[in-house]
Amino acid sequence: QQQQQQILPKSAFSSLDFLSVNEDKTDKQQSSVILCELKISPQIAKGIFQVLTISKLVTHIDFSRCCLGDDVLRDFCDLFPHSLSSLQTLNISRNNFSHTGVQNLIKTIVESNKIRLTRLDLSFLVLSTDAVALLSQLIESQECTLETLFLCNCSLTFPKIQIFSISLAKCFSLKHLNLNQNQLHSEGWNLIWSVTQSRISFLSVSFCAITNLGSISQNRSFSTINQLVLKGNKITKSGAELLASWFSENSSIEMFDVSDCSLNTMSVSSLFKSLST
């Protein structure tokens, strides 16, 4: 497939350094809007949204690290569902949205029945309890098509994880889940593992204050996870032993990361031995 990249000149938006819109001429004019790490003013954002209103076939949007605020997010929500009916992936991570703004966005996505997202990145945005409840409503829907979900550093605590895990147990589309830098602790880990180990293939829980891996011993022969990231957690000796036992019964493991986990030499040796058997 041949792709043509269109670069909007600076004359269109005086303070916009680079706007990339990739249009696939062979696939019904589907396009991507990539604005990652640009410092965009509300006025420029409104101009971009006007373009999106006309296109209606944008499949991928990346507004991450753009220092955007709630005023821009409200305008973006107005595009749903008609102007973004073809949207598949959305990344709005690392912006200046309030927890109320993020909650309103999730509510808009939930209410937009035509939207079929496959990838959503809300990393480094605060998710309130109500926002987590709405997100849970999204993923437990029978129409859910979400395959990849990034919720790094979203202020997810155990009470929120309790709400979220109930819906995770009902979600069959999700394959990749990243919960890095949330205060899950061992209790939150046990909940997440119990509902994801037989459903998803990639799980990342780096720097989540996890010490006890007790739940990893449950139904370990039925695990579908082949990539596991536990980096930065203070895993105990018994936790390392459980992990080694899990590895020994899961020949499909492709990647695991236990760096910065304070494991002693014996624990590391045990892990590698389990992988070689």
Side-chain angles (χ1 to χ4, degrees), residues 201-262:
S201 58
F202 173 89
L203 176 62
S204 184
V205 286
S206 297
F207 299 98
C208 288
I210 300 168
T211 56
N212 180 11
L213 299 177
S215 61
I216 203 169
S217 62
Q218 301 173 3
N219 301 320
R220 55 194 179 200
S221 61
F222 298 99
S223 178
T224 59
I225 293 178
N226 53 39
Q227 298 183 70
L228 178 62
V229 182
L230 289 163
K231 179 179 179 179
N233 293 292
K234 305 303 180 183
I235 298 175
T236 61
K237 179 182 177 181
S238 61
E241 292 172 350
L242 287 172
L243 194 58
S245 179
W246 179 76
F247 283 146
S248 66
E249 297 188 24
N250 288 273
S251 58
S252 62
I253 190 72
E254 298 173 359
M255 182 275 289
F256 78 99
D257 185 349
V258 288
S259 57
D260 299 322
C261 284
S262 301

Side-chain angles (χ1 to χ4, degrees), residues 15 37 41 50 92 123 172 197 209 241 243 248 253 272:
S15 61
E37 297 189 56
S41 69
Q50 288 177 0
I92 60 167
S123 298
F172 292 92
Q197 65 148 327
E241 292 172 350
L243 194 58
S248 66
I253 190 72
F272 278 102

